[in-house]
Amino acid sequence: MQYRTLGLTAIQVSAITLGRWPFAAPASWGPQDEAASVATVHSEIDAGITSIDNAAGYGGGQAERIVAKGLGARPTDVVLCTKARGDQLTPNS
């Protein structure tokens, strides 16, 4: 696995990141098997992928819940990446 420095930090992340939009369940991608999605998180960490792309908008938080299950006792093995809209960038949002 190749790694890159994240911006101006000293944090190293994998050059490959898998997106979580498919974990969003039927609303976006049709039926998803939660156990298979959790196993995907385990497999990618085992393969050296250290960055996870997610967003609160993916299935109303469903993808975030699945990623949390997948990380389990390994949350420090990855960097969680997310996106936000402009109206979500205030202290009250």
Coordinates of all heavy atoms in Angstrom, one line a residue:
M1 N 0.8 -1.2 0.0 CA 0.0 0.0 0.0 C 0.9 1.2 0.0 O 1.9 1.3 0.7 CB -0.9 0.0 1.2 CG -1.9 1.1 1.4 SD -3.1 1.3 0.0 CE -3.9 -0.3 0.2
Q2 N 0.5 2.2 -0.8 CA 1.2 3.5 -0.8 C 0.5 4.4 0.2 O -0.7 4.4 0.3 CB 1.3 4.1 -2.2 CG 2.1 3.2 -3.2 CD 2.1 3.9 -4.5 OE1 1.6 5.0 -4.8 NE2 2.7 3.2 -5.5
Y3 N 1.3 5.3 0.8 CA 0.8 6.3 1.7 C 1.2 7.7 1.3 O 2.2 7.9 0.7 CB 1.2 5.9 3.1 CG 0.7 4.6 3.6 CD1 1.4 3.4 3.4 CD2 -0.5 4.5 4.2 CE1 0.9 2.2 3.7 CE2 -1.0 3.3 4.6 CZ -0.3 2.1 4.3 OH -0.8 0.9 4.7
R4 N 0.4 8.6 1.7 CA 0.6 10.1 1.4 C 0.5 10.8 2.7 O -0.3 10.5 3.6 CB -0.4 10.6 0.4 CG -0.5 9.8 -0.9 CD 0.7 10.1 -1.8 NE 0.5 9.6 -3.1 CZ 0.9 8.4 -3.5 NH1 1.5 7.6 -2.7 NH2 0.6 8.0 -4.7
T5 N 1.2 12.0 2.8 CA 1.0 12.9 3.9 C -0.2 13.7 3.7 O -0.5 14.2 2.7 CB 2.3 13.8 4.0 OG1 3.4 13.0 4.2 CG2 2.1 14.7 5.2
L6 N -1.0 13.8 4.8 CA -2.3 14.5 4.7 C -2.0 16.0 4.9 O -1.7 16.4 6.0 CB -3.2 14.0 5.8 CG -4.6 14.6 5.8 CD1 -5.4 14.2 4.5 CD2 -5.4 14.0 7.0
G7 N -2.2 16.7 3.8 CA -2.0 18.2 3.9 C -0.7 18.6 4.5 O 0.4 18.1 4.1
L8 N -0.7 19.5 5.4 CA 0.5 20.0 6.1 C 0.7 19.4 7.4 O 1.5 19.8 8.2 CB 0.3 21.6 6.2 CG 0.2 22.4 5.0 CD1 0.0 23.8 5.3 CD2 1.3 22.2 4.0
T9 N 0.1 18.2 7.6 CA 0.2 17.5 8.9 C 1.3 16.5 8.7 O 1.9 16.3 7.7 CB -1.1 16.8 9.3 OG1 -1.3 15.7 8.4 CG2 -2.3 17.7 9.2
A10 N 1.5 15.7 9.8 CA 2.5 14.6 9.8 C 1.7 13.3 9.6 O 2.3 12.2 9.7 CB 3.3 14.6 11.0
I11 N 0.4 13.4 9.4 CA -0.5 12.2 9.4 C -0.3 11.5 8.0 O -0.4 12.1 7.0 CB -2.0 12.6 9.6 CG1 -2.1 13.2 11.0 CG2 -2.9 11.4 9.4 CD1 -3.5 13.8 11.2
Q12 N -0.1 10.2 8.0 CA 0.0 9.4 6.8 C -1.3 8.7 6.6 O -1.8 8.1 7.5 CB 1.2 8.4 7.0 CG 2.6 9.0 7.1 CD 3.0 9.6 5.7 OE1 3.1 8.9 4.7 NE2 3.3 10.9 5.7
V13 N -1.8 8.8 5.3 CA -3.0 8.0 5.0 C -2.7 7.2 3.7 O -1.8 7.6 2.9 CB -4.2 9.0 4.8 CG1 -4.6 9.7 6.0 CG2 -3.9 10.0 3.7
S14 N -3.5 6.2 3.5 CA -3.3 5.4 2.3 C -3.7 6.2 1.1 O -4.6 7.0 1.2 CB -4.2 4.1 2.4 OG -5.5 4.4 2.7
A15 N -3.1 5.8 0.0 CA -3.4 6.5 -1.3 C -4.8 6.1 -1.8 O -5.4 6.8 -2.6 CB -2.3 6.2 -2.3
I16 N -5.3 5.0 -1.3 CA -6.6 4.5 -1.7 C -7.5 4.7 -0.5 O -7.2 4.4 0.6 CB -6.5 3.0 -2.0 CG1 -5.6 2.7 -3.2 CG2 -7.9 2.4 -2.2 CD1 -5.4 1.2 -3.5
T17 N -8.7 5.3 -0.9 CA -9.8 5.5 0.1 C -11.0 4.9 -0.5 O -11.3 5.1 -1.6 CB -10.0 7.0 0.4 OG1 -8.8 7.5 0.9 CG2 -11.1 7.2 1.3
L18 N -11.7 4.1 0.3 CA -13.0 3.6 -0.1 C -14.1 4.4 0.4 O -14.2 4.7 1.6 CB -13.2 2.1 0.3 CG -12.2 1.1 -0.3 CD1 -12.5 -0.3 0.2 CD2 -12.3 1.1 -1.8
G19 N -15.1 4.8 -0.5 CA -16.2 5.6 -0.1 C -17.3 4.8 0.5 O -17.4 3.6 0.2
R20 N -18.1 5.4 1.4 CA -19.1 4.6 2.1 C -20.5 4.9 1.6 O -21.5 4.4 2.2 CB -19.1 5.0 3.6 CG -17.8 4.8 4.3 CD -17.5 3.3 4.3 NE -16.1 3.1 4.4 CZ -15.4 2.3 3.7 NH1 -15.9 1.5 2.8 NH2 -14.1 2.2 3.9
W21 N -20.7 5.6 0.6 CA -22.0 5.9 0.1 C -22.8 4.6 -0.1 O -24.0 4.5 0.2 CB -22.0 6.8 -1.2 CG -23.3 7.3 -1.6 CD1 -24.5 7.3 -0.9 CD2 -23.6 8.0 -2.8 NE1 -25.5 7.9 -1.7 CE2 -24.9 8.3 -2.9 CE3 -22.8 8.3 -4.0 CZ2 -25.5 9.0 -3.9 CZ3 -23.4 8.9 -5.0 CH2 -24.7 9.3 -5.0
P22 N -22.2 3.5 -0.7 CA -23.0 2.3 -0.8 C -23.5 1.7 0.5 O -24.5 1.0 0.4 CB -22.0 1.3 -1.5 CG -21.0 2.2 -2.2 CD -20.9 3.4 -1.3
F23 N -22.9 2.1 1.6 CA -23.4 1.6 2.9 C -24.7 2.3 3.3 O -25.4 1.9 4.3 CB -22.4 1.8 4.0 CG -21.2 1.0 4.0 CD1 -20.9 0.1 3.0 CD2 -20.3 1.1 5.0 CE1 -19.7 -0.6 3.0 CE2 -19.1 0.4 5.0 CZ -18.9 -0.5 4.0
A24 N -25.2 3.3 2.5 CA -26.3 4.1 2.8 C -27.6 3.3 2.7 O -28.7 3.8 3.1 CB -26.4 5.3 1.9
A25 N -27.6 2.1 2.3 CA -28.8 1.2 2.3 C -29.7 1.5 1.1 O -29.4 2.2 0.2 CB -29.5 1.2 3.6
P26 N -30.9 1.0 1.2 CA -31.8 1.0 0.0 C -32.1 2.3 -0.6 O -32.3 2.4 -1.8 CB -33.1 0.4 0.6 CG -32.7 -0.4 1.8 CD -31.5 0.3 2.3
A27 N -32.1 3.4 0.1 CA -32.4 4.7 -0.5 C -31.5 5.1 -1.7 O -31.9 5.7 -2.6 CB -32.3 5.8 0.6
S28 N -30.3 4.6 -1.7 CA -29.3 5.0 -2.7 C -28.9 3.8 -3.6 O -28.8 4.0 -4.8 CB -28.1 5.6 -2.1 OG -28.4 6.8 -1.3
W29 N -28.7 2.7 -3.0 CA -28.0 1.6 -3.7 C -28.8 0.3 -3.8 O -28.3 -0.7 -4.2 CB -26.6 1.4 -3.1 CG -25.7 2.5 -3.3 CD1 -25.6 3.6 -2.5 CD2 -24.8 2.7 -4.4 NE1 -24.6 4.4 -3.0 CE2 -24.2 4.0 -4.2 CE3 -24.5 2.1 -5.6 CZ2 -23.2 4.5 -5.0 CZ3 -23.6 2.6 -6.4 CH2 -23.0 3.8 -6.1
G30 N -30.0 0.3 -3.2 CA -30.7 -1.0 -3.1 C -30.2 -1.7 -1.8 O -29.4 -1.2 -1.0
P31 N -30.8 -2.8 -1.5 CA -30.5 -3.5 -0.3 C -29.0 -3.8 -0.1 O -28.3 -4.2 -1.0 CB -31.3 -4.9 -0.4 CG -32.3 -4.6 -1.5 CD -31.8 -3.6 -2.4
Q32 N -28.6 -3.6 1.1 CA -27.2 -3.8 1.5 C -27.1 -4.8 2.6 O -28.0 -4.7 3.5 CB -26.5 -2.5 1.9 CG -26.5 -1.5 0.8 CD -25.6 -1.9 -0.4 OE1 -24.5 -2.3 -0.3 NE2 -26.2 -1.8 -1.6
D33 N -26.2 -5.7 2.6 CA -26.0 -6.6 3.7 C -25.1 -6.0 4.8 O -23.9 -5.7 4.5 CB -25.4 -7.9 3.2 CG -25.3 -9.0 4.3 OD1 -24.2 -8.9 5.0 OD2 -26.2 -9.8 4.5
E34 N -25.6 -5.7 6.0 CA -24.8 -5.0 7.0 C -23.6 -5.8 7.4 O -22.5 -5.2 7.5 CB -25.7 -4.7 8.2 CG -24.9 -3.8 9.2 CD -25.8 -3.4 10.3 OE1 -26.9 -2.8 10.1 OE2 -25.4 -3.5 11.5
A35 N -23.7 -7.1 7.5 CA -22.6 -7.9 7.9 C -21.5 -7.9 6.8 O -20.3 -7.8 7.2 CB -23.0 -9.3 8.2
A36 N -21.9 -7.9 5.6 CA -20.9 -7.8 4.5 C -20.2 -6.4 4.5 O -19.0 -6.3 4.2 CB -21.6 -8.0 3.1
S37 N -21.0 -5.3 4.8 CA -20.4 -4.0 4.9 C -19.4 -3.9 6.0 O -18.3 -3.3 5.8 CB -21.5 -3.0 5.0 OG -22.4 -2.9 3.9
V38 N -19.7 -4.4 7.2 CA -18.8 -4.4 8.3 C -17.5 -5.2 7.9 O -16.4 -4.8 8.2 CB -19.5 -5.0 9.6 CG1 -18.5 -5.3 10.7 CG2 -20.5 -4.0 10.1
A39 N -17.7 -6.4 7.3 CA -16.6 -7.2 6.8 C -15.7 -6.4 5.8 O -14.5 -6.6 5.8 CB -17.1 -8.5 6.2
T40 N -16.3 -5.6 5.0 CA -15.5 -4.8 4.1 C -14.6 -3.8 4.8 O -13.5 -3.7 4.5 CB -16.5 -4.0 3.2 OG1 -17.3 -4.9 2.4 CG2 -15.7 -3.0 2.2
V41 N -15.1 -3.2 5.9 CA -14.3 -2.3 6.7 C -13.1 -3.1 7.3 O -12.0 -2.7 7.2 CB -15.1 -1.6 7.8 CG1 -14.2 -0.8 8.7 CG2 -16.2 -0.7 7.2
H42 N -13.4 -4.3 7.8 CA -12.3 -5.1 8.4 C -11.3 -5.5 7.3 O -10.1 -5.3 7.6 CB -12.9 -6.4 9.0 CG -13.8 -6.2 10.1 ND1 -14.6 -7.2 10.6 CD2 -14.0 -5.2 10.9 CE1 -15.3 -6.8 11.6 NE2 -14.9 -5.6 11.9
S43 N -11.7 -5.9 6.2 CA -10.8 -6.3 5.1 C -9.9 -5.1 4.6 O -8.8 -5.3 4.4 CB -11.6 -6.8 3.9 OG -12.3 -8.0 4.3
E44 N -10.5 -3.9 4.5 CA -9.7 -2.8 4.0 C -8.7 -2.4 5.0 O -7.5 -2.1 4.6 CB -10.6 -1.7 3.6 CG -11.2 -0.9 4.7 CD -12.1 0.2 4.2 OE1 -13.3 -0.1 3.9 OE2 -11.6 1.3 4.0
I45 N -9.0 -2.4 6.3 CA -8.0 -2.1 7.3 C -6.9 -3.2 7.3 O -5.7 -2.8 7.3 CB -8.6 -2.0 8.7 CG1 -9.6 -0.8 8.8 CG2 -7.6 -1.9 9.8 CD1 -10.4 -0.7 10.0
D46 N -7.3 -4.4 7.2 CA -6.3 -5.5 7.1 C -5.4 -5.3 5.9 O -4.2 -5.7 5.9 CB -7.0 -6.9 7.1 CG -7.7 -7.2 8.4 OD1 -7.4 -6.6 9.4 OD2 -8.5 -8.1 8.4
A47 N -5.9 -4.8 4.8 CA -5.1 -4.6 3.6 C -4.3 -3.3 3.6 O -3.5 -3.0 2.7 CB -6.1 -4.5 2.4
G48 N -4.4 -2.5 4.7 CA -3.6 -1.3 4.8 C -4.2 0.0 4.5 O -3.6 1.0 4.5
I49 N -5.5 -0.1 4.1 CA -6.2 1.2 3.8 C -6.5 1.9 5.2 O -7.0 1.3 6.1 CB -7.5 0.9 3.1 CG1 -7.2 0.4 1.7 CG2 -8.4 2.2 3.0 CD1 -8.4 -0.1 0.9
T50 N -6.1 3.1 5.2 CA -6.1 3.9 6.5 C -7.0 5.1 6.5 O -7.1 5.9 7.4 CB -4.7 4.3 7.0 OG1 -4.2 5.2 6.0 CG2 -3.8 3.1 7.2
S51 N -7.7 5.3 5.4 CA -8.6 6.5 5.3 C -10.0 6.0 4.9 O -10.2 5.2 4.0 CB -8.1 7.6 4.4 OG -7.9 7.0 3.1
I52 N -11.0 6.5 5.6 CA -12.4 6.1 5.3 C -13.2 7.4 5.0 O -13.2 8.4 5.8 CB -13.0 5.4 6.5 CG1 -12.4 4.1 6.7 CG2 -14.5 5.3 6.4 CD1 -12.9 3.3 7.9
D53 N -13.8 7.4 3.8 CA -14.6 8.5 3.3 C -16.1 8.3 3.7 O -16.6 7.2 3.4 CB -14.5 8.7 1.8 CG -15.5 9.6 1.3 OD1 -15.7 10.7 1.8 OD2 -16.3 9.2 0.3
N54 N -16.7 9.2 4.4 CA -18.0 9.0 4.9 C -18.7 10.4 4.9 O -18.0 11.4 4.8 CB -18.0 8.4 6.3 CG -19.3 7.6 6.5 OD1 -20.2 7.6 5.8 ND2 -19.3 6.8 7.6
A55 N -20.0 10.4 5.2 CA -20.7 11.7 5.3 C -22.0 11.4 6.1 O -22.6 10.4 5.9 CB -21.0 12.4 4.0
A56 N -22.4 12.4 6.9 CA -23.7 12.2 7.6 C -24.8 12.0 6.7 O -25.8 11.4 7.0 CB -23.9 13.5 8.5
G57 N -24.8 12.6 5.5 CA -25.8 12.4 4.5 C -26.0 11.1 3.9 O -26.9 10.8 3.1
Y58 N -25.1 10.2 4.1 CA -25.1 8.8 3.5 C -26.1 8.0 4.3 O -25.8 7.4 5.3 CB -23.8 8.2 3.5 CG -22.7 8.8 2.7 CD1 -21.4 8.3 2.7 CD2 -23.0 9.8 1.8 CE1 -20.4 8.8 1.9 CE2 -22.0 10.4 1.0 CZ -20.7 9.9 1.1 OH -19.7 10.4 0.3
G59 N -27.3 8.0 3.8 CA -28.4 7.2 4.5 C -28.8 7.7 5.8 O -29.2 7.0 6.7
G60 N -28.7 9.0 6.0 CA -29.1 9.6 7.3 C -28.3 9.1 8.5 O -28.8 9.0 9.6
G61 N -27.1 8.8 8.2 CA -26.2 8.4 9.3 C -26.0 6.8 9.3 O -25.2 6.3 10.1
Q62 N -26.7 6.1 8.4 CA -26.6 4.7 8.4 C -25.2 4.2 8.1 O -24.6 3.3 8.7 CB -27.6 4.1 7.4 CG -27.5 2.6 7.2 CD -27.8 1.8 8.4 OE1 -28.4 2.3 9.4 NE2 -27.6 0.5 8.3
A63 N -24.6 4.9 7.1 CA -23.2 4.5 6.8 C -22.2 4.8 7.9 O -21.3 4.0 8.2 CB -22.7 5.3 5.5
E64 N -22.5 5.8 8.7 CA -21.6 6.1 9.8 C -21.8 5.0 10.9 O -20.8 4.6 11.5 CB -22.0 7.5 10.4 CG -21.6 8.6 9.5 CD -22.0 10.0 10.1 OE1 -23.2 10.1 10.6 OE2 -21.2 10.9 10.1
R65 N -23.0 4.6 11.1 CA -23.2 3.5 12.1 C -22.5 2.2 11.7 O -21.9 1.5 12.5 CB -24.7 3.3 12.3 CG -25.4 4.4 13.1 CD -26.9 4.1 13.4 NE -27.7 4.2 12.2 CZ -28.2 5.4 11.7 NH1 -27.9 6.5 12.3 NH2 -29.0 5.4 10.6
I66 N -22.6 1.9 10.4 CA -21.9 0.7 9.9 C -20.4 0.8 10.1 O -19.7 -0.1 10.5 CB -22.3 0.4 8.5 CG1 -23.8 -0.1 8.5 CG2 -21.4 -0.7 7.9 CD1 -24.4 -0.2 7.1
V67 N -19.8 2.0 9.7 CA -18.4 2.2 9.9 C -18.0 2.0 11.3 O -17.0 1.4 11.7 CB -18.0 3.5 9.3 CG1 -16.5 3.9 9.7 CG2 -18.1 3.5 7.8
A68 N -18.8 2.6 12.2 CA -18.5 2.5 13.7 C -18.4 1.0 14.1 O -17.5 0.6 14.8 CB -19.5 3.2 14.5
K69 N -19.4 0.2 13.6 CA -19.4 -1.2 13.9 C -18.1 -1.9 13.3 O -17.5 -2.7 14.0 CB -20.6 -1.9 13.4 CG -21.9 -1.6 14.2 CD -23.0 -2.4 13.6 CE -24.3 -2.1 14.3 NZ -25.5 -2.8 13.8
G70 N -17.8 -1.5 12.1 CA -16.6 -2.1 11.5 C -15.3 -1.7 12.2 O -14.4 -2.6 12.2
L71 N -15.2 -0.5 12.7 CA -14.0 -0.1 13.4 C -13.9 -0.8 14.7 O -12.8 -1.2 15.1 CB -14.0 1.4 13.5 CG -13.8 2.2 12.3 CD1 -13.8 3.7 12.6 CD2 -12.5 1.9 11.6
G72 N -15.0 -1.0 15.4 CA -14.9 -1.7 16.7 C -13.8 -1.2 17.6 O -13.8 0.0 17.9
A73 N -12.9 -2.0 17.9 CA -11.8 -1.7 18.8 C -10.6 -1.1 18.1 O -9.5 -0.9 18.6 CB -11.3 -2.9 19.6
R74 N -10.8 -0.8 16.8 CA -9.6 -0.3 16.0 C -9.8 1.1 15.5 O -9.3 1.5 14.4 CB -9.5 -1.2 14.8 CG -9.2 -2.7 15.2 CD -9.3 -3.6 14.0 NE -8.2 -3.4 13.1 CZ -8.0 -4.2 12.0 NH1 -8.8 -5.2 11.8 NH2 -6.9 -4.0 11.2
P75 N -10.5 2.0 16.2 CA -10.7 3.4 15.6 C -9.5 4.2 15.4 O -9.5 5.1 14.6 CB -11.6 4.0 16.7 CG -11.3 3.3 18.0 CD -11.0 1.9 17.5
T76 N -8.4 3.9 16.0 CA -7.2 4.7 15.8 C -6.3 4.2 14.6 O -5.3 4.7 14.3 CB -6.3 4.7 17.1 OG1 -5.9 3.3 17.4 CG2 -7.0 5.3 18.3
D77 N -6.8 3.1 14.0 CA -6.1 2.6 12.8 C -6.4 3.4 11.5 O -5.8 3.1 10.5 CB -6.5 1.1 12.6 CG -5.9 0.2 13.6 OD1 -5.1 0.7 14.4 OD2 -6.3 -1.0 13.6
V78 N -7.4 4.3 11.6 CA -7.8 5.0 10.4 C -8.0 6.5 10.6 O -8.1 6.9 11.8 CB -9.2 4.4 9.8 CG1 -9.1 3.0 9.5 CG2 -10.3 4.6 10.8
V79 N -8.1 7.2 9.5 CA -8.5 8.6 9.5 C -9.9 8.7 8.9 O -10.0 8.2 7.8 CB -7.5 9.5 8.7 CG1 -8.0 10.9 8.6 CG2 -6.1 9.4 9.4
L80 N -10.8 9.2 9.6 CA -12.2 9.4 9.0 C -12.2 10.7 8.3 O -11.9 11.8 8.9 CB -13.2 9.4 10.2 CG -13.3 8.0 10.9 CD1 -14.2 8.2 12.1 CD2 -13.7 6.9 10.0
C81 N -12.7 10.7 7.1 CA -12.9 11.9 6.3 C -14.3 12.1 6.0 O -15.1 11.1 5.9 CB -12.2 11.7 4.9 SG -10.4 11.2 5.0
T82 N -14.8 13.3 6.0 CA -16.2 13.6 5.8 C -16.3 14.9 4.9 O -15.3 15.5 4.6 CB -16.9 13.7 7.1 OG1 -18.3 13.7 6.8 CG2 -16.6 15.0 7.9
K83 N -17.5 15.2 4.6 CA -17.8 16.4 3.8 C -18.9 17.2 4.6 O -19.7 16.6 5.3 CB -18.3 16.0 2.4 CG -17.2 15.4 1.6 CD -17.6 14.4 0.5 CE -18.3 13.2 1.0 NZ -17.6 12.1 1.6
A84 N -19.0 18.4 4.3 CA -20.0 19.3 4.9 C -20.4 20.3 3.9 O -19.7 20.8 3.1 CB -19.5 19.9 6.2
R85 N -21.7 20.7 4.0 CA -22.2 21.8 3.2 C -21.9 23.1 3.9 O -21.6 23.2 5.1 CB -23.8 21.7 3.1 CG -24.2 20.5 2.4 CD -25.8 20.5 2.2 NE -26.5 20.9 3.4 CZ -27.1 20.1 4.2 NH1 -27.1 18.8 4.0 NH2 -27.7 20.6 5.3
G86 N -22.0 24.2 3.2 CA -21.7 25.5 3.8 C -22.5 25.9 5.0 O -22.0 26.5 6.0
D87 N -23.8 25.5 5.0 CA -24.7 25.7 6.1 C -24.4 24.9 7.3 O -24.9 25.0 8.4 CB -26.2 25.6 5.8 CG -26.6 24.2 5.4 OD1 -25.7 23.4 5.0 OD2 -27.8 24.0 5.4
Q88 N -23.4 23.9 7.2 CA -23.0 23.1 8.3 C -21.7 23.5 8.9 O -21.1 22.9 9.8 CB -22.9 21.6 7.8 CG -24.2 21.0 7.4 CD -23.9 19.7 6.7 OE1 -22.9 19.4 6.0 NE2 -24.9 18.7 6.9
L89 N -21.2 24.7 8.5 CA -19.9 25.2 9.0 C -20.0 26.3 10.0 O -19.1 27.2 10.1 CB -19.1 25.6 7.8 CG -18.9 24.5 6.7 CD1 -18.1 25.1 5.5 CD2 -18.1 23.4 7.3
T90 N -21.1 26.3 10.8 CA -21.2 27.3 11.8 C -21.2 26.6 13.2 O -21.5 25.4 13.3 CB -22.6 28.1 11.7 OG1 -23.6 27.1 11.8 CG2 -22.7 28.8 10.3
P91 N -20.9 27.3 14.2 CA -20.8 26.7 15.6 C -22.1 26.0 16.0 O -22.0 25.1 16.8 CB -20.4 27.9 16.5 CG -19.8 28.9 15.6 CD -20.5 28.7 14.3
N92 N -23.2 26.5 15.5 CA -24.5 25.9 15.9 C -25.0 24.8 15.1 O -26.1 24.2 15.3 CB -25.6 27.0 16.0 CG -25.3 28.1 17.0 OD1 -24.7 27.8 18.0 ND2 -25.6 29.3 16.7
S93 N -24.3 24.4 14.1 CA -24.8 23.3 13.2 C -24.2 22.0 13.5 O -23.4 21.8 14.4 CB -24.4 23.6 11.7 OG -23.0 23.7 11.6

